[in-house]
């Protein structure tokens, strides 16, 4: 996205006509607004954000919906699979940047998996706050993807 913006700005500097400059600026502004609207993190009290979630590894995949709810200084989150079963419930303290796991699906409820989830969820929440929608844990060969979902009724 940034590379495309830089190319557009270089082309903008080379154009002489005012009309061309205005068209380029409007296009750049539209691209930035579209990119910013596609990334969201709940900041206001009671605000909810819905994501399509997937966690992949070479031998398994978990997918579903992630619901984030802002409640004071914490963001409460729940990851639910496509059948409605809860996979993970956690909260993220935005001031302390800490994750607290409240519930983990029984097949994932092992101390070493909980520790890994806690570490990765913290990095994911930090990435989501900065506008990123995916995270890769190279060491454990896990990839997490969060895609903003506007289709869910609120």
């Amino acid at each position: 996205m940034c590379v495309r913006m830089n190319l557009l700005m270089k082309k903008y500097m080379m154009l002489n006509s005012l009309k061309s400059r205005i068209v380029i600026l409007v296009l750049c502004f539209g691209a930035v607004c579209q990119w910013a609207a596609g990334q969201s993190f709940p900041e206001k009290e009671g605000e909810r954000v819905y994501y399509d979630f997937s966690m992949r590894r070479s031998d398994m995949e978990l997918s579903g919906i992630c619901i984030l709810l802002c409640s004071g200084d914490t963001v409460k989150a729940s990851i639910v699979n496509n059948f409605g079963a809860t996979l993970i419930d956690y909260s993220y303290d935005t001031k302390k940047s800490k994750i607290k796991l409240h519930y983990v699906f029984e097949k994932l409820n092992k101390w070493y998996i909980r520790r890994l989830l806690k570490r990765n969820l913290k990095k994911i929440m930090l990435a989501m706050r900065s506008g990123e929608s995916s995270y890769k844990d190279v060491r454990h060969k896990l990839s997490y993807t969060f895609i903003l979902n506007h289709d869910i009724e609120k």
Side-chain angles (χ1 to χ4, degrees):
M1 181 70 180
C2 291
V3 174
R4 204 168 22 163
M5 295 293 287
N6 285 339
L7 289 173
L8 284 173
M9 292 307 286
K10 284 180 184 176
K11 287 181 182 178
Y12 166 76
M13 294 301 176
M14 292 188 313
L15 295 173
N16 290 331
S17 81
L18 181 62
K19 192 174 185 179
S20 298
R21 288 183 182 185
I22 291 173
V23 169
I24 297 291
L25 281 175
V26 168
L27 288 174
C28 289
F29 182 74
V32 169
C33 288
Q34 183 181 13
W35 176 79
Q39 307 298 324
S40 186
F41 191 82
E43 299 288 340
K44 300 175 190 161
E45 181 74 28
E47 182 181 3
R48 287 184 188 199
V49 180
Y50 298 89
Y51 286 94
D52 290 326
F53 162 81
S54 70
M55 180 171 79
R56 290 189 180 99
R57 191 176 163 168
S58 59
D59 58 341
M60 68 99 185
E61 177 180 356
L62 292 174
S63 64
I65 297 170
C66 178
I67 304 163
L68 301 178
L69 170 68
C70 184
S71 177
D73 291 339
T74 62
V75 174
K76 297 176 183 176
S78 186
I79 298 175
V80 181
N81 72 5
N82 296 329
F83 298 107
T86 302
L87 297 175
I88 303 168
D89 274 334
Y90 66 95
S91 59
Y92 172 68
D93 189 338
T94 55
K95 296 228 184 233
K96 297 178 184 175
S97 187
K98 288 194 176 189
I99 293 283
K100 181 176 181 182
L101 293 173
H102 300 289
Y103 174 79
V104 178
F105 181 64
E106 63 187 53
K107 292 190 179 193
L108 300 174
N109 199 7
K110 312 282 191 266
W111 68 268
Y112 48 92
I113 295 176
R114 288 178 70 92
R115 185 175 65 182
L116 173 70
L117 281 173
K118 229 174 154 175
R119 193 176 320 130
N120 285 348
L121 286 171
K122 179 180 178 182
K123 292 176 183 175
I124 288 167
M125 296 301 276
L126 290 170
M128 288 170 89
R129 285 187 87 175
S130 66
E132 297 175 34
S133 62
S134 63
Y135 172 72
K136 222 173 205 178
D137 182 352
V138 179
R139 180 177 174 198
H140 297 98
K141 299 176 185 165
L142 287 167
S143 83
Y144 301 85
T145 307
F146 290 83
I147 301 170
L148 197 59
N149 189 334
H150 295 287
D151 298 333
I152 297 177
E153 292 182 24
K154 296 174 180 162

